[in-house]
Amino acid sequence: TLTTNDAYAKGALVLGSSLKQHRTTGKLVVLTTPQVSDSMRKVLETVFDEVLTVDVLDSGDSAHLTLMKRPELGVTLTKLHCWSLTQYSKCVFMDADTLALTNIDDLFEREELSAAPDPGWPDCFNSGVFVFQPSMETYSQLLQLASEQGSFDGGDQGLLNTYFSNWATTDIRKHLPFIYNLSSISIYSYLPAFQVFGANAKVVHFLGQIKPWNYTYDPHTKSVKSESHDPSMMHPEFLNLWWDTFSTQILPLFQHHGLVKDTHSYINVLSDLVYTLAFSCGFCRKEQVSGAMSHLLLGEVPAPPQPSVSSEERKERWEQGQADYMGADSFDNIKRKLDTYLQ
Ligand SMILES: *[C@@H]1O[C@H](CO)[C@@H](O)[C@H](O)[C@H]1NC(C)=O
Ligand SMILES: *[C@@H]1O[C@H](CO)[C@@H](O)[C@H](O)[C@H]1NC(C)=O
Ligand SMILES: [Mn+2]
């Protein structure tokens, strides 16, 4: 897989952890760019066998020259580096926003280039999951194509579909079943099919702008919080599974590597304060406080609201036990206020 920042690294960690949970016999390799922080890199090293840094700007090879001509292809060129992993005879690339639901080692029986059809244009393959064979020759041909023609969609999928242009017609064995790239979108665009075939899904791909790590998760109910009109909520079980994997397998690694240690002890102090305050006003149960803690811990706090009532009114409501938990009196705002005192 590939990650270009710390947010996608969370996805990569959950993906790697899901593959291990399903006992893959393959080695796990993640390509990273220099934007990934050192502490995140340490956590990646505990899940992946190899954590490689790819800096297209620094590489001084034809990838760098291509980038000079076509700066829009930055991430695409990084991804192409997977063809240079010639220490391996065959690989499966998986986007960092995918999750394995079962063992998928049978993919290694397929030949380059095997991929699932793209639901948007089924004669193109989707480049989120594909089987390939590392080769410096293919790598340099891909780079040459990139510099001469660019990519028709500006990304790797357009470029790869141009290079492997006979994918749709020459060998049906290179068509991975759609269940290897079950896009979360298909769940609602073709619900009857999902109800029949969804249970066989092997890989789920969280498409779109909002990724699993953008949701807020409640560890007590083991479910993500979301607007009811959010289409992903029709089948939240995949999102909940992603978060369950993240909170049980990955979060302890973050704590172990000090990524959340400071925040954690800080939250403990603050939560005691808030709990004391809340308790003395008699309106808040411990659960509500810990709910707020998990928001903070996972970095998903609601946007600070604009105060619509005067400070006096707020104080009055607070004292009457009518705190605006999700708004003006959210944990985040309380923390911000306490920060100003602590500083
Ligand atoms: C899966 O399909 C989506 C389109 O629905 C595509 O954007 C994505 O890259 C594909 N991913 C995989 C894993 O093939
Ligand atoms: C999702 O979260 C990442 C960082 O955690 C952020 O950079 C990105 O803008 C968020 N995306 C959306 C659509 O909220
Ligand atoms: Mn993706």
Side-chain angles (χ1 to χ4, degrees):
T1 190
L2 162 71
T3 174
T4 53
N5 57 45
D6 280 6
Y8 271 79
K10 292 183 191 171
L13 286 164
V14 170
L15 168 63
S17 170
S18 71
L19 289 165
K20 281 187 154 172
Q21 245 172 300
H22 296 296
R23 303 184 185 284
T24 182
T25 57
K27 294 269 185 230
L28 301 180
V29 181
V30 58
L31 300 177
T32 64
T33 57
Q35 289 75 34
V36 176
S37 68
D38 286 343
S39 38
M40 187 60 86
R41 221 170 275 280
K42 291 219 165 57
V43 180
L44 285 166
E45 279 164 7
T46 65
V47 171
F48 288 84
D49 296 293
E50 281 200 76
V51 180
L52 304 170
T53 306
V54 176
D55 191 350
V56 175
L57 287 171
D58 258 9
S59 60
D61 62 9
S62 40
H64 187 194
L65 297 177
T66 305
L67 191 64
M68 298 287 94
K69 275 164 72 181
R70 299 190 180 268
E72 79 281 6
L73 292 181
V75 173
T76 301
L77 298 184
T78 306
K79 187 161 169 178
L80 293 186
H81 266 271
C82 67
W83 264 274
S84 70
L85 300 171
T86 51
Q87 65 271 44
Y88 302 105
S89 53
K90 197 184 279 178
C91 304
V92 179
F93 182 90
M94 300 180 76
D95 267 2
D97 56 356
T98 60
L99 176 68
L101 303 174
T102 179
N103 183 290
I104 48 172
D105 286 357
D106 55 309
L107 285 175
F108 288 109
E109 290 160 23
R110 309 251 179 179
E111 298 303 322
E112 176 173 280
L113 183 288
S114 294
D118 188 280
W121 195 267
D123 282 347
C124 284
F125 58 83
N126 192 281
S127 64
V129 174
F130 61 87
V131 181
F132 68 101
Q133 191 177 336
S135 146
M136 287 315 281
E137 196 185 340
T138 310
Y139 176 57
S140 66
Q141 285 171 2
L142 281 165
L143 286 174
Q144 196 180 343
L145 183 68
S147 77
E148 285 167 5
Q149 292 188 26
S151 162
F152 68 74
D153 67 1
D156 56 281
Q157 182 159 314
L159 182 73
L160 293 174
N161 270 281
T162 303
Y163 186 82
F164 296 101
S165 61
N166 61 5
W167 169 84
T169 50
T170 50
D171 185 355
I172 194 65
R173 285 170 301 182
K174 293 184 178 176
H175 282 235
L176 295 183
F178 195 56
I179 49 173
Y180 283 97
N181 181 25
L182 180 68
S183 61
S184 31
I185 286 169
S186 319
I187 296 173
Y188 52 91
S189 66
Y190 197 3
L191 187 61
F194 175 76
Q195 282 165 342
V196 177
F197 304 115
N200 300 325
K202 289 174 184 284
V203 176
V204 65
H205 188 182
F206 299 98
L207 296 168
Q209 293 297 304
I210 305 176
K211 299 300 181 189
W213 49 87
N214 288 106
Y215 287 86
T216 303
Y217 180 70
D218 183 341
H220 301 290
T221 62
K222 289 187 178 293
S223 62
V224 293
K225 294 178 187 159
S226 175
E227 308 300 320
S228 51
H229 63 258
D230 179 349
S232 322
M233 285 301 114
M234 271 174 72
H235 276 276
E237 61 264 30
F238 294 127
L239 269 177
N240 291 340
L241 178 64
W242 189 97
W243 268 101
D244 188 51
T245 310
F246 182 73
S247 57
T248 59
Q249 308 295 314
I250 306 303
L251 215 45
L253 299 175
F254 282 6
Q255 278 152 359
H256 183 74
H257 286 82
L259 257 84
V260 291
K261 200 179 90 225
D262 294 342
T263 333
H264 209 162
S265 46
Y266 188 59
I267 287 172
N268 283 341
V269 173
L270 286 175
S271 78
D272 282 351
L273 270 171
V274 174
Y275 186 48
T276 310
L277 276 170
F279 190 73
S280 63
C281 300
F283 60 71
C284 180
R285 289 176 305 125
K286 182 79 172 165
E287 288 78 20
Q288 286 163 315
V289 176
S290 36
M293 282 167 63
S294 58
H295 273 274
L296 192 60
L297 189 60
L298 303 176
E300 303 292 345
V301 285
Q306 300 306 314
S308 53
V309 292
S310 74
S311 193
E312 274 307 298
E313 268 181 279
R314 252 181 82 192
K315 181 168 176 247
E316 216 164 275
R317 289 189 195 175
W318 172 273
E319 286 171 356
Q320 288 165 1
Q322 295 161 354
D324 179 11
Y325 295 116
M326 304 310 286
D329 306 319
S330 69
F331 187 81
D332 194 35
N333 279 353
I334 294 170
K335 175 179 168 287
R336 198 173 296 128
K337 187 75 176 176
L338 288 169
D339 269 339
T340 63
Y341 294 124
L342 292 173
Q343 277 158 14

